[in-house]
Amino acid sequence: MIVKMDDTRKTMNMSEVQHPENGTDNPAYVATNDANGDVENNKQKAKFTRSLSDVKNKRNKKPMWLCSAIVNRPKTTFGIALGFHILVLLITALLFYVDYNIFPAEFTDLPLDIRREEQFKLGIAWDRRDANFERINRFENTAINNGIRREEYDSLEVILFLENGNVFTKSNLARIKRFEEETVAKPDFDKYCKLNEAGSCVPPLSVLRFFDGTYGEEFYDPEFDNIPAILYNATLQPELDEVLQFFLAEKAVVTIDEATSEQTRLLIDFGTPLDNTTEGLPFDEQPIEEIDNFIRDQLIDFLHDKFENGFGNGIEITYLSLSIFEEIINSTVYRDLTLIVGSFVFIFVFIYVQTRSWWITGLSVFSIITSFLFANLIYRVVIGYEFFGIFHVLAIFILLGIGADDVFIFVDTWRATALLSYPSLAHRLSDTYRRAALAMFVTSLTTAAAFFVNYFSPFFATSSFGVFSSLMIVSNYLSVITYFPTVLMTHHTMWKDCRCCCCDCCYPEEDETEKRANVIVRFFAGPFFRAVTHKIFRWVIVVVLLGVTAFLGYKISTIESQERDVQVFPDSHNVAIHTDRRTRFKDSIEGDDNVELQIVFGLETVDLSVCSFTAYECYGNTIYDDDFDMNQPENQQAFLDFCSYLRNLDESKTDDLRIRRSLITGKPELKCFVEDMKTYFEDEKNISFPLNYNSTKQLVDGNTDIYNTTVTPNDRAFEIGLAYWLTDGHKEIPDYNEYDIYLGEESTSNTFRISNGEMVNTRLKYASIVINTTMIWGDFGYQVGLPLLEKWDEFIAEQMSQLPDGINKGYHCTPAGANFNFWLWQKIQEELTNSAIRNIAIGISVAFVVLVLTTQNIIIGALATITICCITTCVLGLIPILGWTLGTLESLNLSLVVGLSVDYVVHLAEGYYLAESEDRIGKTKEMLESVGISILSGCITTLGACFFMLFSVILFFLQFGTFVFCTIGLSYIFAMLLFPALISVIGPERNCGSFQCLFFCCRSKN
């Protein structure tokens, strides 16, 4: 129930509109009306620049037309302003309803590609090798022709770990066997498992296959009675020994008498295409989400229960697959994002506590939300960005703090004007508007500029965030100066005297006969002011805080760069534990993270000039090497010799280049199609290699059932033989894809069709040699990776210089999809570190320029910038203290440091600039008095909003919350202690350091 206050109070309040407001004309009233605020106690007396008449004339200045309109027609202006905000909400809802991707959310991808980097272009050229020409596909729908669910879609890896124990005991192997049986017995498992040639589910790949007869009768021991003998027997056969290494921990021991391993693993494969796949349906249109749903519904809870409760006998279990990882990270991200609700609740409650008005509180929070939506409309619809990632969502937490801060500035300024007298309410609102709008303009401009610096980052995730966060800040500023005054005026004229009867005790009675400043304002203008400007204590503050800055500056030198890949989850999470344990095996044959290096021929780079700067998934047009030609016999022989040279590299060279060596042959592992072609034709077809006109004519003439013509000297002998070898005589074979993905053919004017309709006499457009390396994703950082990249650059350049024309433009790359380029990742890690430091330097420089321009005083700008530098130094110094290394997440967070550090210092600098006093002590007092409470409120709201991030599971969110919490805390401490202490000692007085003074100085000299 809402009731009105008594008529007497109503009359007193309404008189404000018609008559000068109750208050005083003394510009120092707020400070001096407190008995404890006597400046004489500090033996420093403030002198005011302007006389009493000057101050009264300023308040008697003609009201702004906007303020007059708001006062005269509060309901109309409020309705217009509110209508615009509702319109923003409706437009967003409408676009969402019509399936416009208004929030192009992508939480599993963080686009950190450096598009100008050569390794990015080389990798994309290979990934998109078939994008810009009509590639010949010898058999349509090869995956389907290979058989139902014969192609691997996903692989579930389960690691069983027994610390300081042995998993290869009879009881433990029996447990693993029961686990396998329980897993494959899940409902509908037989509908999604990968099938073998017999049409049965492929059994799990585990050490148990050495005991069930899979590898022969000598490997049959279903009761596990002879474990050491069975496994030792496998080590005696090179092919089986390579398989066995996949299941052995690094320190495992296998002898005739002993078989011990601290951990082992098993793989369960899921296949595609599914049984219900329509005939001829392309792979990318297959209903593979059914497999994801099965894994999510049937396996995740089952496996998580094993992870939480153990496997029995002390064995721990971890699990992971691509589908499971995507499901875990998506669900965890959305779970962590629900913490935003807690932040909103905190902001709502705190604004209400500060304003004592549901009206102001509700509409303020609504304004923050619509500011976010309006910024997103500009970002998404007008500019055209097509990415909305984790960083953009986290920007909401920043907006909550900044938005609440702007509200507090306006409210606090409005309350301060209540202590002064004005000719009318319009004059009071105008004075409030001028002060608050200017204060918010300076802080918003500086903060937006600091964030916008990130636009120049080479990383799309950071660059787009810089644009988005700047738009949010500008949008919020425009909302506050156009919308919030109408909210404030409707509250003042319509709702100020309304109280909820059940909450009436929360509203203290106002004594109109004695108006006093807020107790916090009096604290900042009194005890706090006297402390920070005390002749001794202010020097203590300066020495202590500069000492802390020096210490943390030293700690910066101890920051270590992260040598491993990005860690998404905390150490105790299943994914983190599993990722760590899978690196502790002796060796692996499949399903691991070893990097595949490609030596590519026939491609050059990609042309990215066709891509818009807002389209992060645009990869341009592939550029081909038109000189690439394998038809010349000398080129075939040179290519063959190059492969032979690679295969016979000595051990020191392979170790230096981190090339993986086969456990069977001891030679480097590589896949060279020319070697297999030579073996095929010479050993099986008795045709000499390299291929030339005569050898190819022999092939064609000997297969008249296939070829309905004969070859001529103008035909491409090599490509005719290539097509024959790839398909083993133009037959549909399961092994076709083994090499086909590394070779691309196009038709020419001489291309013809054979009896089965297949095209031959084509031209080989590109080819690749595949080298297996010992490099593992996440195993080392760029400090190791970049020198290794340089070694490969030098090695390939040297080898290409020795090859003949037509095959001497090859390059190396490590592509595995657009987001998994290993060489590029090394560059990214280095650039993350460099760009973070660079952006900090640019941000501080921009902040200095903006501060000097807005305060029109170089001394104020310099002192504020010094304070910002101290804050930034301390934030950087906290990185090693918090136990962090300078990795991807930390570098991304550092891109925010300047934007978060400038706000409070800018408030104070602007407050000092606008102070009426003549001397620095008086200006410092007015500065603290006018903005101290707003800074405190803004600090509390930002800290409160980010506090909830400390409960995140995703490590990036947790680090973000910790980072922002520390940055805001340090910003407040340095802004409220160091800056006032410095400014009270060397702050400018009168026109010292002002542009006006410098202008007249230069003019007088001329």
Side-chain angles (χ1 to χ4, degrees):
M1 178 179 178
I2 304 297
V3 297
K4 288 285 186 178
M5 304 296 287
D6 59 83
D7 292 338
T8 303
R9 295 181 64 181
K10 176 180 176 182
T11 304
M12 293 174 64
N13 285 319
M14 288 302 293
S15 66
E16 293 179 341
V17 182
Q18 304 297 331
H19 307 288
E21 297 203 353
N22 296 331
T24 176
D25 291 326
N26 185 354
Y29 172 80
V30 178
T32 58
N33 82 92
D34 185 359
N36 296 323
D38 189 359
V39 185
E40 290 297 330
N41 291 338
N42 204 34
K43 296 185 179 180
Q44 305 173 67
K45 189 170 184 177
K47 300 178 182 178
F48 293 95
T49 306
R50 301 181 183 181
S51 64
L52 183 61
S53 60
D54 291 334
V55 175
K56 293 180 68 175
N57 289 336
K58 181 181 178 181
R59 292 203 297 270
N60 292 338
K61 187 177 179 180
K62 182 180 178 181
M64 301 173 62
W65 70 267
L66 177 62
C67 296
S68 297
I70 293 173
V71 171
N72 294 330
R73 297 180 177 274
K75 294 181 181 179
T76 302
T77 52
F78 170 72
I80 295 173
L82 180 63
F84 177 79
H85 285 68
I86 294 176
L87 181 62
V88 169
L89 187 63
L90 291 176
I91 292 175
T92 301
L94 179 61
L95 290 173
F96 183 82
Y97 178 76
V98 298
D99 291 330
Y100 182 87
N101 194 12
I102 189 64
F103 294 107
E106 181 55 75
F107 298 143
T108 59
D109 184 19
L110 191 63
L112 295 176
D113 294 329
I114 309 176
R115 301 178 75 84
R116 66 168 184 268
E117 177 58 46
E118 187 65 18
Q119 276 299 327
F120 171 77
K121 298 178 182 179
L122 296 179
I124 291 299
W126 174 255
D127 287 331
R128 296 180 55 79
R129 56 194 178 275
D130 299 328
N132 297 109
F133 81 101
E134 189 174 348
R135 183 180 187 273
I136 292 177
N137 293 314
R138 303 212 161 270
F139 303 122
E140 298 296 331
N141 307 315
T142 301
I144 294 178
N145 290 331
N146 282 346
I148 296 297
R149 284 188 277 142
R150 293 287 299 280
E151 298 295 320
E152 181 180 312
Y153 165 70
D154 197 4
S155 183
L156 169 64
E157 181 182 56
V158 178
I159 297 178
L160 304 113
F161 173 80
L162 182 58
E163 187 173 7
N164 299 322
N166 181 21
V167 294
F168 292 162
T169 65
K170 182 174 182 176
S171 60
N172 288 338
L173 290 182
R175 285 187 174 87
I176 297 175
K177 183 178 181 180
R178 289 194 297 271
F179 173 78
E180 285 189 3
E181 293 171 347
E182 189 176 0
T183 303
V184 300
K186 292 293 179 183
D188 295 331
F189 176 83
D190 59 331
K191 294 182 180 179
Y192 304 108
C193 63
K194 183 180 178 181
L195 301 181
N196 55 27
E197 293 182 4
S200 303
C201 288
V202 174
L205 181 63
S206 74
V207 73
L208 299 185
R209 303 292 77 77
F210 290 96
F211 298 90
D212 65 0
T214 298
Y215 300 118
E217 293 182 359
E218 67 270 31
F219 295 100
Y220 185 75
D221 182 18
E223 301 300 324
F224 311 114
D225 294 324
N226 302 296
I227 297 173
I230 292 288
L231 296 182
Y232 178 72
N233 190 24
T235 65
L236 301 179
Q237 303 182 36
E239 294 85 356
L240 292 182
D241 184 41
E242 185 175 15
V243 176
L244 180 61
Q245 304 304 309
F246 183 70
F247 306 108
L248 300 182
E250 287 178 321
K251 299 180 180 180
V253 176
V254 177
T255 66
I256 188 64
D257 301 315
E258 180 185 9
T260 61
S261 180
E262 191 177 38
Q263 65 181 27
T264 188
R265 57 181 164 183
L266 61 89
L267 295 179
I268 299 175
D269 293 334
F270 299 91
T272 189
L274 297 178
D275 298 347
N276 59 347
T277 301
T278 304
E279 184 68 24
L281 191 66
F283 178 83
D284 58 357
E285 296 181 15
Q286 296 168 20
I288 53 179
E289 66 276 1
E290 291 185 23
I291 305 178
D292 295 335
N293 293 338
F294 168 78
I295 294 174
R296 183 186 66 241
D297 299 337
Q298 296 293 334
L299 294 182
I300 290 183
D301 290 342
F302 165 71
L303 294 169
H304 187 70
D305 179 67
K306 297 290 185 183
F307 169 74
E308 290 287 342
N309 301 318
F311 195 70
N313 199 28
I315 297 178
E316 299 174 7
I317 180 176
T318 60
Y319 58 94
L320 196 62
S321 76
L322 181 60
S323 298
I324 289 177
F325 179 76
E326 291 180 350
E327 173 64 25
I328 289 176
I329 198 169
N330 279 319
S331 61
T332 307
V333 165
Y334 285 114
R335 175 262 179 201
D336 285 353
L337 291 181
T338 59
L339 296 171
I340 294 177
V341 176
S343 299
F344 266 104
V345 171
F346 175 82
I347 295 296
F348 189 92
V349 171
F350 190 77
I351 292 177
Y352 174 74
V353 170
Q354 291 293 98
T355 62
R356 300 290 182 89
S357 168
W358 295 112
W359 178 263
I360 293 178
T361 301
L363 293 175
S364 297
V365 173
F366 177 72
S367 173
I368 294 173
I369 296 173
T370 53
S371 295
F372 173 83
L373 296 177
F374 181 71
N376 184 65
L377 287 176
I378 302 298
Y379 170 85
R380 177 68 184 94
V381 179
V382 178
I383 303 179
Y385 276 97
E386 299 174 0
F387 174 74
F388 193 88
I390 291 178
F391 244 33
H392 298 67
V393 175
L394 294 180
I396 298 176
F397 292 91
I398 298 174
L399 179 63
L400 286 172
I402 294 176
D405 186 27
D406 287 347
V407 169
F408 294 141
I409 290 175
F410 215 106
V411 170
D412 292 336
T413 306
W414 172 258
R415 286 175 172 172
T417 59
L419 304 173
L420 306 172
S421 60
Y422 293 88
S424 69
L425 195 56
H427 285 80
R428 178 186 173 188
L429 182 60
S430 295
D431 194 26
T432 300
Y433 192 94
R434 291 187 184 99
R435 296 186 191 182
L438 179 59
M440 290 184 294
F441 174 77
V442 175
T443 56
S444 297
L445 177 62
T446 311
T447 307
F451 277 121
F452 187 74
V453 167
N454 290 301
Y455 168 73
F456 302 100
S457 169
F459 307 115
F460 188 85
T462 309
S463 175
S464 60
F465 168 78
V467 174
F468 183 73
S469 56
S470 300
L471 287 172
M472 281 199 317
I473 294 169
V474 173
S475 174
N476 180 75
Y477 173 74
L478 294 175
S479 175
V480 173
I481 65 172
T482 58
Y483 166 71
F484 191 73
T486 67
V487 174
L488 196 62
M489 191 50 53
T490 52
H491 170 263
H492 183 78
T493 57
M494 299 171 57
W495 302 105
K496 186 177 72 171
D497 297 326
C498 293
R499 298 289 187 265
C500 176
C501 60
C502 60
C503 302
D504 195 55
C505 59
C506 299
Y507 300 90
E509 291 292 328
E510 297 181 6
D511 185 359
E512 293 290 338
T513 65
E514 182 184 2
K515 287 198 173 184
R516 295 166 63 84
N518 182 286
V519 63
I520 300 177
V521 174
R522 285 183 279 137
F523 167 76
F524 282 121
F528 186 82
F529 160 73
R530 292 195 297 274
V532 295
T533 59
H534 191 276
K535 289 184 177 180
I536 297 177
F537 190 64
R538 65 186 178 188
W539 286 108
V540 173
I541 293 174
V542 172
V543 171
V544 169
L545 291 183
L546 291 182
V548 170
T549 303
F551 170 74
L552 292 177
Y554 161 75
K555 296 298 290 184
I556 294 176
S557 64
T558 66
I559 296 177
E560 297 180 356
S561 296
Q562 192 177 58
E563 295 188 355
R564 297 187 67 85
D565 201 357
V566 178
Q567 184 174 337
V568 180
F569 297 97
D571 293 336
S572 59
H573 195 278
N574 164 69
V575 174
I577 298 173
H578 187 91
T579 303
D580 176 64
R581 288 178 180 170
R582 76 194 311 260
T583 64
R584 302 182 189 178
F585 288 95
K586 281 184 179 291
D587 200 4
S588 53
I589 56 175
E590 59 177 296
D592 55 15
D593 290 330
N594 285 70
V595 174
E596 218 179 51
L597 185 139
Q598 310 265 6
I599 302 178
V600 179
F601 300 84
L603 303 177
E604 290 187 359
T605 184
V606 290
D607 177 18
L608 297 176
S609 62
V610 298
C611 296
S612 166
F613 74 97
T614 62
Y616 81 100
E617 291 185 315
C618 174
Y619 298 114
N621 296 320
T622 304
I623 300 176
Y624 300 91
D625 175 17
D626 294 331
D627 296 329
F628 175 61
D629 185 10
M630 287 291 292
N631 199 47
Q632 301 300 320
E634 57 269 25
N635 287 358
Q636 298 172 42
Q637 185 60 51
F639 204 99
L640 187 63
D641 293 342
F642 178 51
C643 291
S644 178
Y645 172 75
L646 292 173
R647 196 173 293 280
N648 291 285
L649 286 173
D650 58 46
E651 188 171 349
S652 63
K653 190 64 175 179
T654 56
D655 291 343
D656 193 40
L657 295 175
R658 294 195 178 232
I659 298 176
R660 182 171 167 178
R661 304 180 73 86
S662 170
L663 291 174
I664 299 175
T665 65
K667 293 183 177 295
E669 292 183 357
L670 63 129
K671 190 179 293 185
C672 178
F673 73 100
V674 176
E675 287 182 331
D676 285 357
M677 278 186 69
K678 179 180 185 300
T679 301
Y680 177 82
F681 282 114
E682 291 186 347
D683 294 352
E684 297 185 28
K685 302 300 177 183
N686 198 27
I687 295 176
S688 63
F689 192 90
L691 298 178
N692 53 30
Y693 166 72
N694 291 326
S695 57
T696 305
K697 187 176 187 304
Q698 176 187 346
L699 173 68
V700 173
D701 292 346
N703 293 274
T704 55
D705 58 324
I706 297 176
Y707 302 100
N708 49 19
T709 184
T710 186
V711 296
T712 68
N714 294 327
D715 291 328
R716 300 189 63 85
F718 177 80
E719 278 82 354
I720 292 175
L722 177 71
Y724 189 93
W725 161 74
L726 270 176
T727 59
D728 190 19
H730 300 282
K731 295 177 290 188
E732 298 185 9
I733 57 174
D735 295 333
Y736 170 70
N737 280 333
E738 181 179 355
Y739 277 108
D740 179 65
I741 60 176
Y742 303 114
L743 306 169
E745 303 171 77
E746 68 175 350
S747 62
T748 67
S749 58
N750 294 327
T751 297
F752 59 88
R753 293 185 180 274
I754 57 177
S755 58
N756 66 357
E758 189 183 341
M759 288 190 292
V760 296
N761 198 23
T762 59
R763 179 180 182 274
L764 186 62
K765 190 77 169 178
Y766 62 79
S768 170
I769 298 173
V770 184
I771 300 178
N772 293 331
T773 73
T774 59
M775 299 182 293
I776 298 177
W777 266 98
D779 198 35
F780 51 77
Y782 72 89
Q783 300 87 349
V784 177
L786 288 181
L788 184 59
L789 172 58
E790 292 179 2
K791 291 179 182 178
W792 270 103
D793 286 339
E794 295 171 0
F795 176 74
I796 295 299
E798 179 185 355
Q799 297 305 313
M800 291 302 111
S801 66
Q802 300 174 18
L803 295 177
D805 292 342
I807 59 171
N808 63 349
K809 295 182 181 179
Y811 66 83
H812 71 98
C813 61
T814 55
N819 300 316
F820 299 96
N821 188 325
F822 183 79
W823 287 144
L824 179 62
W825 180 243
Q826 309 309 308
K827 294 282 188 179
I828 288 172
Q829 290 184 85
E830 180 187 42
E831 184 61 29
L832 278 168
T833 302
N834 295 338
S835 66
I837 304 302
R838 183 171 59 248
N839 286 350
I840 287 174
I842 296 174
I844 291 175
S845 301
V846 171
F848 172 72
V849 172
V850 174
L851 281 165
V852 170
L853 292 177
T854 52
T855 61
Q856 300 179 34
N857 192 292
I858 193 168
I859 298 177
I860 298 176
L863 292 176
T865 304
I866 290 173
T867 307
I868 294 171
C869 289
C870 290
I871 297 169
T872 305
T873 301
C874 290
V875 172
L876 286 169
L878 284 178
I879 290 177
I881 293 177
L882 292 171
W884 298 348
T885 55
L886 192 57
T888 304
L889 303 184
E890 293 78 13
S891 299
L892 290 174
N893 281 328
L894 286 178
S895 65
L896 312 177
V897 65
V898 178
L900 295 173
S901 300
V902 301
D903 202 21
Y904 305 144
V905 179
V906 172
H907 274 312
L908 292 168
E910 187 267 342
Y912 188 91
Y913 165 68
L914 294 178
E916 303 284 354
S917 299
E918 179 180 325
D919 64 298
R920 62 176 63 99
I921 295 300
K923 284 178 173 290
T924 303
K925 183 184 182 75
E926 287 190 62
M927 172 187 73
L928 293 171
E929 175 188 37
S930 61
V931 300
I933 186 173
S934 299
I935 293 176
L936 177 61
S937 299
C939 176
I940 293 174
T941 52
T942 307
L943 291 178
C946 291
F947 172 76
F948 293 91
M949 295 301 296
L950 303 180
F951 300 96
S952 299
V953 175
I954 298 292
L955 201 58
F956 178 69
F957 288 177
L958 177 61
Q959 284 196 355
F960 176 85
T962 305
F963 176 83
V964 174
F965 203 88
C966 293
T967 304
I968 294 300
L970 287 170
S971 297
Y972 184 79
I973 292 171
F974 276 80
M976 292 301 292
L977 294 177
L978 181 62
F979 185 74
L982 288 175
I983 207 84
S984 68
V985 175
I986 55 176
E989 296 181 326
R990 300 181 180 87
N991 292 323
C992 181
S994 68
F995 285 171
Q996 183 181 8
C997 179
L998 293 175
F999 172 76
F1000 282 118
C1001 228
C1002 295
R1003 186 176 179 181
S1004 63
K1005 289 183 180 180
N1006 294 332

